[in-house]
Amino acid sequence: MSRDYWEQRYQSKDMPWEKGAPSPGLVDFLAAHPDLPKGAVCVPGCGSGHDVREFAKNGFAVTGFDIAPSAIDLAEQATAAAGLQANFQLLDFLHAEPTQKFDCIFEHTLFCAIQPNERDEYVRAVLRWLKPGGLYLAVNYLECDPDGPPFPTTRVELLERFSPHFELRADWVPRSYPNREGRERMFWWTRRPVSV
Ligand SMILES: C[S@@+](CC[C@H](N)C(=O)[O-])C[C@H]1O[C@@H](n2cnc3c(N)ncnc32)[C@H](O)[C@@H]1O
């Protein structure tokens, strides 16, 4: 989907993904793993930045990317209002050349938001932006209407796409927003030094 498509969704306030709170799965994961190294985190497709602020609250140096100018404006305003520190950049995560490499990428409703035929490009983007050995943490929205975005996926598809490049440490059904209960799955991947 184009930058204009997403910007229009923000301008017309047609944002059903906006829940006013971070991903419950992320909140629980960070609470359960207080000893994660506090490296540089990237949240692509960050929207208004709830997940970015959750990382910031937990002491991470975090950067949110979004393709829609209005999303970046909302994210910057809400982060300043919360008295938190984070960076936000207007860019196309799938096609931009990395300005830095991250220790961790957090996925939440970007993989399902892009066109399914862009998923190869998405995996290549994660590999460009993430350091070898880095953490790829994902809350994947599996079950949604086929007329997306969001577009559905399956655990099998995700394993096929990511296993050649990432070692799966764990996957589970996370706590979710009320309308997504049981429809999301969380994946904790570590990037292999060399893809198999
Ligand atoms: C479904 S929304 C989810 C927003 C946020 N992750 C959340 O859960 O609230 C998808 C977001 O991805 C952004 N987006 C779509 N394609 C993108 C791309 N290629 N690069 C960066 N952001 C993108 C959209 O502008 C939108 O903010």
Side-chain angles (χ1 to χ4, degrees), residues 37-61:
K38 297 286 188 288
V41 178
C42 168
V43 182
C46 64
S48 65
H50 297 291
D51 300 325
V52 169
R53 286 186 289 283
E54 189 61 23
F55 275 105
K57 275 184 207 163
N58 282 275
F60 292 85

Side-chain angles (χ1 to χ4, degrees), residues 6 10 17 45-47 66-68 91-94 108-110 113:
W6 289 107
Y10 281 95
W17 60 82
C46 64
D66 207 283
I67 201 170
L91 59 74
D92 178 347
F93 175 70
L94 268 55
H108 177 211
T109 51
L110 177 60

